[in-house]
Amino acid sequence: MLEKREFDKSDFFWRLSTTVTIVSGLFSVIIFILLAVNYFQITRLDPVNHELLTELRQTYASLPEKDEALAQRIRDLDLITRRAFFTSQTFLQGGAWMMLITVSVFLIAFKNMIRWRPHLPELADVPTADKEFLAYAQSRHLITWAGVGLLFGGMMTAYFSESALTKEMVEAATSAASADGAAPADGAAPADPAAAPAGDAAAVPAVATVPPPTWEEMLVNWPSFRGPGSNGVAHFTTAPTTWDVDAGTNIKWKADLTLPGKNSPVFWGGKLYISAADETTREVYCYNADTGEQLWKQTVPNFPGTPAESPKDVMEDTGFAASTMVAHGDMAFAIFANGDLVAYKSDGTQAWGKNLGVAKNHYGYSSSLLAYDKLLYVQYDDSEKPRLLAFDTATGNEAWTVNRKKISWASPIFAKTNVGDHLILTSEKDVDGYNPLTGAPLWTVECLGGEVAPSAAYANGMVFAANEYAMANGITLGGTPEAVEATVTWEFDELLPEVSSPVGDGERFYYGTTVGDIVCLDAKTGENLWTQEVEDGIDASPILVGDRVYLADKSGIMYIFRASATYEELGKLKLGSASYATPAYLDKRMYVRTPEQLYCIEAP
Amino acid sequence: MSERKKLDRRDFMRGAAAVAFTGATWAAVGEKTETKYWQLDPAKCTQCGRCTTHCVLTPSAVKCLNQFDICGYCDLCFGYLQPGSRNLDTGAENQLCPTAAIERKYIEAPYYEYKIHEDKCIGCAKCVKACLVFGNGSFYLQIRQDICINCNECSIAKSCPSDCFSEVPESNPYMFLTGDTHLAHPPA
Ligand code: SF4
Ligand code: SF4
Ligand code: SF4
């Protein structure tokens, strides 16, 4: 039997300090859990990139008229988002102090508990039956306290992490805005709260999330300069091999163009897009690819920052609309020499637009656009701040920016390489690979020089980049997707491209020179397999269509030759006029732009 | 005794040398080691937004300042308004700042003052970017030294893509755009 201990001072203090130790210890643990949960919530509550709010604002801006109900909904959602964010932060700060206090109390109480601990009789002296009783009693205590602690902690965690705020956000976004709803406080008070009527949710256009186009969809379209991924390779191998523009043989339709533009046509889902501009006007056109009927024409408006005067540096050879557009699913994007970047839906309504500032660029801005997944890429080569920008295609919000060391007049390419998906860019100094989704630089090779206009090409584990006054370089990609190794394995320095971008078929690379040669190099060794002199200089870029390569010279003659180790001419046909643009190659069709016309050649 | 005296003298010499050495070292070190603080150079900043997320503190110790002597006090302030705002007012649908940290105050036609409430600013640089591209560039980021805990190695500096961060002396811990620094340094 246990002896009954008498109540005394030390016993009282021991019990008191034990209770305080347990309670404060439990509190510390609970506060710690809550702080951790809250911290996790804060990292998810991102007022900067709140998707729904951004989409609603975008919709609001694109509506033809002011929509008070939608404005009110934005105000409500904005208020809730900010409240959630700041409340969480206040809790984090308050919680940290509480944690400090409870831990201090715990330590003091624990110290006292040790100090006042009674000297219990040695267990050896206790009879076996009592030992068992003691052990059970202790276990019961332990289990009870642990259960209470867990229950309390669980309840608190559930209360705080069951996101009442998130629910409110969804409600605010999906239900009608109530007239007496939370008045936006702080700096976000509505301009005239009384003017905001009770809204009708149905009246507000739903912000649908359309999945971005897949690579397979990109392949069967002609989304950008030099085709899918801007890599110069056509998916369809049925492009026409005979035509006569003057006689109209195999010419399906023709459309006249008035405003100048050196960009190439792009195609998505039966629609063809081009842009054109002069000093004062910037226009985007959409054509029915089957009939040549102009479906719509939009004059690009001024955006905040659009300069009143056209940029002075633009050379006549470059023009104000040198950059090829991008067609990406239901959207088409265009960029102009004055820095205007605009997005149209395929029905011609403007989705968003902005001015990026006039790029300081002594020939005029000429890089073409590129898109992949949800991102639109702009190689914005401003000589003071060269950078690669990625925008969310749906909203126009900037997703990320990567600073570049040097500028170029080339365009980015997207390649599915042996070590993952890469964006590959050339500059006056180097060739760089980036992660297309995050912009993280993956590799860089210093091998270029001079004023670089040709873009890179990728095929079969090799990147090819070349420029007049520098070298032609065969760069082997190796290593792993996480640690890519890029090595220049060969160089060639004789006939080099100045404007024309190369294409690779896996075994060889082909390109044109401004003095008028078509050059073929062995992809693995860089050996010059053949060179073919043509009638005029070449600015356009070769396109690989199955086992044939199409390449036009400046006088407008299209050379069709076999992709092989010897030059085998398969055709030499007139395009009807001087040609700077690179045609779009679809199933049995080619869409060609000359300064005066846009037309479709169709194989019989 | 003489033994002890000798010892004392030797000890004294040793002590004096130690004091002289330490003193000289302190003097030398003391002159060079004015406390350094991390600061970012607004002229290099590309407004990538990492200042919001990469500081060890939440919210970040990086805050936006409005340097009033450069500010145009514009009604159509691109740092304050969403691009394409229908109304130039304080409605949340028109505000660019995600935390409504900027207060727009009417001064006289057509001027408005834009004041940053640093307790709400999270240093996202949205306003900085817009003001730089379309406006006078009076908004810019700085590490608030009263908030910064001056980490051994600033964790934003490690991730800044534009190499903006350097250590600056305690006596001059901000990098202002112009000399009128008091205008850019509202009371915290
Ligand atoms: S991390 Fe550097 S570039 Fe990005 S916002 Fe901060 S200072 Fe500017
Ligand atoms: S937009 Fe960003 S940087 Fe500017 S005041 Fe608001 S939170 Fe601060
Ligand atoms: S030194 Fe530390 S607290 Fe200060 S800005 Fe850098 S990361 Fe933030």
Side-chain angles (χ1 to χ4, degrees):
Chain A
M1 289 292 287
L2 276 173
E3 272 177 38
K4 193 174 183 299
R5 279 180 285 114
E6 279 179 19
F7 173 82
D8 61 15
K9 194 176 131 199
S10 60
D11 181 62
F12 171 74
F13 281 121
W14 179 75
R15 280 166 191 274
L16 184 68
S17 51
T18 308
T19 314
V20 175
T21 306
I22 292 168
V23 172
S24 58
L26 256 170
F27 260 101
S28 304
V29 172
I30 290 162
I31 292 171
F32 175 78
I33 293 169
L34 291 178
L35 280 177
V37 170
N38 184 68
Y39 184 78
F40 176 66
Q41 278 188 335
I42 278 199
T43 51
R44 282 189 307 165
L45 279 172
D46 178 5
V48 183
N49 301 305
H50 194 294
E51 261 179 38
L52 186 56
L53 203 48
T54 314
E55 281 175 19
L56 288 177
R57 281 197 166 119
Q58 204 71 48
T59 311
Y60 182 78
S62 67
L63 293 178
E65 280 177 23
K66 194 173 168 185
D67 182 334
E68 271 304 338
L70 181 56
Q72 185 61 42
R73 188 194 281 187
I74 294 172
R75 290 169 197 168
D76 289 347
L77 184 58
D78 169 75
L79 178 71
I80 289 162
T81 311
R82 286 185 296 112
R83 223 183 238 171
F85 179 72
F86 284 113
T87 308
S88 282
Q89 285 200 339
T90 314
F91 179 77
L92 196 66
Q93 277 149 13
W97 279 110
M98 269 173 72
M99 177 97 186
L100 189 72
I101 294 167
T102 48
V103 168
S104 310
V105 171
F106 171 81
L107 289 174
I108 294 166
F110 185 71
K111 183 99 188 17
N112 276 300
M113 188 180 85
I114 305 259
R115 186 181 162 198
W116 297 107
R117 183 179 53 178
H119 297 287
L120 295 169
E122 286 297 314
L123 275 182
D125 302 337
V126 179
T128 316
D130 287 348
K131 266 192 206 166
E132 272 175 26
F133 173 77
L134 262 180
Y136 283 136
Q138 275 175 347
S139 312
R140 271 198 303 275
H141 269 103
L142 256 171
I143 291 167
T144 312
W145 276 111
V148 168
L150 278 173
L151 187 70
F152 186 65
M155 276 165 60
M156 296 290 272
T157 311
Y159 175 76
F160 279 95
S161 58
E162 190 267 332
S163 188
L165 295 162
T166 313
K167 233 193 276 165
E168 270 183 88
M169 284 180 203
V170 175
E171 273 164 23
T174 50
S175 72
S178 62
D180 61 349
D186 321 310
D192 181 5
D200 174 7
V204 181
V207 184
T209 324
V210 186
T214 60
W215 174 242
E216 287 66 33
E217 285 174 295
M218 287 170 71
L219 283 179
V220 295
N221 286 284
W222 195 263
S224 47
F225 175 58
R226 302 203 297 142
S230 289
N231 212 358
V233 183
H235 174 75
F236 293 103
T237 58
T238 48
T241 47
T242 54
W243 65 81
D244 186 331
V245 179
D246 296 333
T249 316
N250 292 346
I251 305 300
K252 190 167 169 65
W253 55 259
K254 278 186 185 179
D256 290 333
L257 305 173
T258 44
L259 213 56
K262 294 246 161 77
N263 59 83
S264 308
V266 294
F267 171 99
W268 195 286
K271 287 177 177 166
L272 211 57
Y273 303 90
I274 54 165
S275 66
D278 60 15
E279 284 91 339
T280 53
T281 318
R282 295 167 301 287
E283 287 179 343
V284 173
Y285 312 91
C286 172
Y287 293 86
N288 179 323
D290 291 330
T291 62
E293 179 201 355
Q294 192 178 90
L295 298 175
W296 51 263
K297 167 182 134 179
Q298 290 293 359
T299 304
V300 179
N302 283 351
F303 302 114
T306 297
E309 286 187 15
S310 60
K312 300 266 178 299
D313 287 342
V314 178
M315 282 180 48
E316 207 186 320
D317 265 1
T318 312
F320 294 88
S323 313
T324 295
M325 292 178 64
V326 150
H328 197 57
D330 195 33
M331 305 272 283
F333 308 88
I335 190 165
F336 298 89
N338 70 347
D340 279 354
L341 175 65
V342 64
Y344 288 104
K345 293 191 181 145
S346 60
D347 63 4
T349 47
Q350 186 188 309
W352 52 265
K354 54 174 73 183
N355 183 278
L356 303 179
V358 179
K360 287 191 186 65
N361 184 308
H362 53 277
Y363 295 124
Y365 182 71
S366 66
S367 290
S368 293
L369 298 173
L370 185 66
Y372 179 68
D373 198 63
K374 284 187 201 156
L375 297 174
L376 170 72
Y377 306 106
V378 182
Q379 177 179 328
Y380 212 56
D381 279 348
D382 172 309
S383 52
E384 281 179 9
K385 228 176 172 183
R387 55 206 192 271
L388 170 65
L389 305 161
F391 296 96
D392 182 308
T393 48
T395 62
N397 291 336
E398 200 174 303
W400 46 258
T401 310
V402 188
N403 288 333
R404 285 163 43 73
K405 283 170 257 170
K406 294 277 179 186
I407 63 168
S408 77
W409 287 264
S411 303
I413 74 163
F414 170 86
K416 289 204 164 279
T417 78
N418 49 325
V419 277
D421 294 352
H422 291 193
L423 277 182
I424 303 173
L425 275 72
T426 54
S427 84
E428 284 182 341
K429 197 171 172 194
D430 38 27
V431 187
D432 307 295
Y434 302 92
N435 180 321
L437 299 181
T438 63
L442 299 173
W443 54 270
T444 183
V445 173
E446 256 186 49
C447 61
L448 292 178
E451 293 173 331
V452 178
S455 308
Y458 171 83
N460 195 18
M462 294 288 289
V463 174
F464 178 70
N467 189 43
E468 182 72 298
Y469 315 117
M471 287 279 182
N473 306 275
I475 302 164
T476 312
L477 292 187
T480 62
E482 292 73 35
V484 180
E485 285 159 18
T487 345
V488 176
T489 35
W490 53 259
E491 289 175 340
F492 174 73
D493 65 354
E494 282 163 36
L495 295 155
L496 297 166
E498 209 172 356
V499 181
S500 165
S501 302
V503 71
D505 63 5
E507 291 179 44
R508 292 161 289 271
F509 285 106
Y510 309 87
Y511 57 88
T513 67
T514 32
V515 290
D517 305 292
I518 304 175
V519 182
C520 171
L521 301 182
D522 184 289
K524 287 279 171 273
T525 62
E527 183 196 346
N528 182 197
L529 296 175
W530 53 261
T531 301
Q532 176 67 30
E533 241 179 76
V534 294
E535 285 173 29
D536 205 346
I538 299 171
D539 278 357
S541 301
I543 300 293
L544 180 72
V545 182
D547 64 349
R548 307 184 300 275
V549 180
Y550 286 63
L551 179 57
D553 71 8
K554 278 195 264 192
S555 69
I557 295 177
M558 176 67 88
Y559 295 87
I560 308 174
F561 54 89
R562 181 89 57 210
S564 70
T566 49
Y567 182 74
E568 183 189 340
E569 194 169 283
L570 302 173
K572 185 177 166 186
L573 300 146
K574 279 191 191 157
L575 285 176
S577 166
S579 176
Y580 304 96
T582 301
Y585 296 77
L586 277 305
D587 192 16
K588 291 189 173 175
R589 284 187 190 167
M590 268 169 73
Y591 297 96
V592 183
R593 183 190 197 166
T594 63
E596 295 84 27
Q597 280 184 322
L598 177 69
Y599 57 87
C600 169
I601 306 175
E602 189 175 50
Chain B
M1 280 298 279
S2 68
E3 193 57 30
R4 221 184 126 201
K5 258 185 189 166
K6 253 187 204 167
L7 209 67
D8 277 351
R9 193 176 296 128
R10 199 160 53 224
D11 279 353
F12 171 74
M13 292 307 285
R14 269 192 201 145
V19 166
F21 176 76
T22 324
T25 312
W26 270 115
V29 173
E31 257 174 27
K32 283 184 196 150
T33 53
E34 184 183 2
T35 313
K36 298 273 193 184
Y37 289 104
W38 287 103
Q39 192 49 274
L40 70 94
D41 183 350
K44 288 188 188 166
C45 171
T46 49
Q47 302 87 38
C48 72
R50 291 186 205 185
C51 276
T52 325
T53 46
H54 284 65
C55 180
V56 297
L57 300 173
T58 317
S60 171
V62 175
K63 303 288 175 192
C64 174
L65 307 181
N66 186 8
Q67 188 144 345
F68 292 111
D69 57 337
I70 312 176
C71 182
Y73 291 82
C74 315
D75 185 8
L76 174 57
C77 168
F78 293 108
Y80 181 81
L81 296 162
Q82 286 278 344
S85 285
R86 288 174 193 283
N87 290 358
L88 310 186
D89 64 31
T90 59
E93 69 280 14
N94 300 324
Q95 285 197 42
L96 181 67
C97 176
T99 56
I102 312 177
E103 184 189 333
R104 172 181 156 104
K105 204 166 104 194
Y106 175 74
I107 305 287
E108 60 174 46
Y111 300 116
Y112 288 80
E113 183 188 272
Y114 297 93
K115 190 173 151 195
I116 317 284
H117 288 270
E118 290 186 6
D119 52 338
K120 290 189 204 153
C121 174
I122 53 173
C124 73
K126 281 188 153 203
C127 62
V128 179
K129 175 165 255 172
C131 179
L132 197 72
V133 177
F134 306 126
N136 290 4
S138 65
F139 285 157
Y140 58 98
L141 299 181
Q142 285 287 279
I143 299 179
R144 286 307 302 220
Q145 303 300 359
D146 48 342
I147 304 172
C148 174
I149 52 170
N150 208 16
C151 311
N152 191 26
E153 187 175 8
C154 173
S155 90
I156 317 176
K158 280 197 270 180
S159 70
C160 173
S162 312
D163 197 19
C164 299
F165 289 75
S166 58
E167 284 183 295
V168 292
E170 188 178 13
S171 52
N172 203 3
Y174 290 95
M175 289 193 185
F176 298 110
L177 286 182
T178 72
D180 268 335
T181 53
H182 66 285
L183 293 168
H185 198 186

